[in-house]
Amino acid sequence: MPLLDAFRMDGQVAIVTGAGAGIGQSIAETLAGVGASVLVSDLDAVRAQAVAEGIRNTGGEAMGLACNVTVEDDRTALVQTALDQFGKISVLVNNAGGGGPKPFDMPLADFIWAYELNVFSVFRLCQLGAPELAKAGGGAILNISSMSAENANVRMASYASSKAALSHLTRNLAYDLGPDQIRVNAIAPGAIRTAALGSVLTPQIETAMLKRTPLQRLGEPIDIGYAALFLCSPAAAWISGQVLTVSGGGVQELD
């Protein structure tokens, strides 16, 4: 296989959740840019459709769909829509997630919700999607975890522990799905310049973060997009069960 062909994804069909902005948008656009057909899903239908339209305007193939990944009917509709629109599924990117700092005395419902969003929804989408990937001859599942899964800090118990669960879920699913030639990996991003980070980022916080970042800059969504391309492409055909940290070589913390 010619070197650059190892990064092509012609004929592949990818679902990317939480793809209406930020990291998810970058992943969707990057995969489409190397030939994949992409179902762009997001809680916000307008954003999902706008990203899909942008892909189509640059010559790619994409469709936008509203999806709340914590709702079973939405999850099943997401998988079925990909099959109806594109005929198969060969890549599943579980990017939708969230949370953030919560006080120790948070209501138990808040703690449960972090797992509902960051762990249970991913597991269920893998259950729904894996049989279709197997029918397609195999493929790739990519979960977006977080550096918080390895770090420890105040007010991060719910979010960080749920992301840690996601990282270890990734390692275990690689064993479950490997016999069907389905690779399962994750990316643990550091601080990425998204709207979510921008809502709390100040010059002082950024300076403090960069002191612990060897490459002396914060990440951009495309940094995760390129990492996702590698892990989803034929170039990573013998990589599974791994969590790739993409953080400029360091650790960025809000505190």
Side-chain angles (χ1 to χ4, degrees), residues 29-52:
E29 292 173 344
T30 302
L31 297 182
V34 295
S37 300
V38 181
L39 180 54
V40 178
S41 94
D42 196 86
L43 193 59
D44 187 322
V46 174
R47 286 186 175 183
Q49 291 162 5
V51 171

Side-chain angles (χ1 to χ4, degrees), residues 19-110:
I23 288 173
Q25 177 179 354
S26 185
I27 293 173
E29 292 173 344
T30 302
L31 297 182
V34 295
S37 300
V38 181
L39 180 54
V40 178
S41 94
D42 196 86
L43 193 59
D44 187 322
V46 174
R47 286 186 175 183
Q49 291 162 5
V51 171
E53 182 178 6
I55 290 172
R56 293 194 298 270
N57 288 342
T58 56
E61 186 173 15
M63 175 184 176
L65 182 71
C67 177
N68 181 338
V69 296
T70 67
V71 175
E72 180 68 5
D73 285 350
D74 281 18
R75 293 187 292 243
T76 56
L78 180 65
V79 171
Q80 190 59 52
T81 298
L83 296 173
D84 293 343
Q85 184 72 19
F86 302 117
K88 67 176 185 179
I89 303 168
S90 47
V91 175
L92 171 62
V93 180
N94 292 302
N95 171 70
K102 293 280 186 178
F104 172 71
D105 61 353
M106 74 184 90
L108 180 59
D110 288 358

Side-chain angles (χ1 to χ4, degrees), residues 127-201:
Q127 283 187 321
L128 293 169
E132 302 304 329
L133 270 70
K135 290 176 187 176
I141 293 175
L142 179 65
N143 300 324
I144 304 302
S145 185
S146 170
M147 283 187 66
S148 297
E150 301 295 332
N151 299 339
N153 212 328
V154 296
R155 303 190 304 279
M156 295 299 285
S158 59
Y159 178 75
S161 67
S162 68
K163 287 296 189 178
L166 176 58
S167 291
H168 205 49
L169 175 67
T170 297
R171 298 181 184 103
N172 282 273
L173 289 181
Y175 277 84
D176 288 328
L177 302 180
D180 289 323
Q181 299 303 302
I182 299 172
R183 300 181 296 103
V184 188
N185 293 293
I187 294 173
I192 306 297
R193 288 190 187 276
T194 61
L197 179 62
S199 67
V200 297
L201 191 65

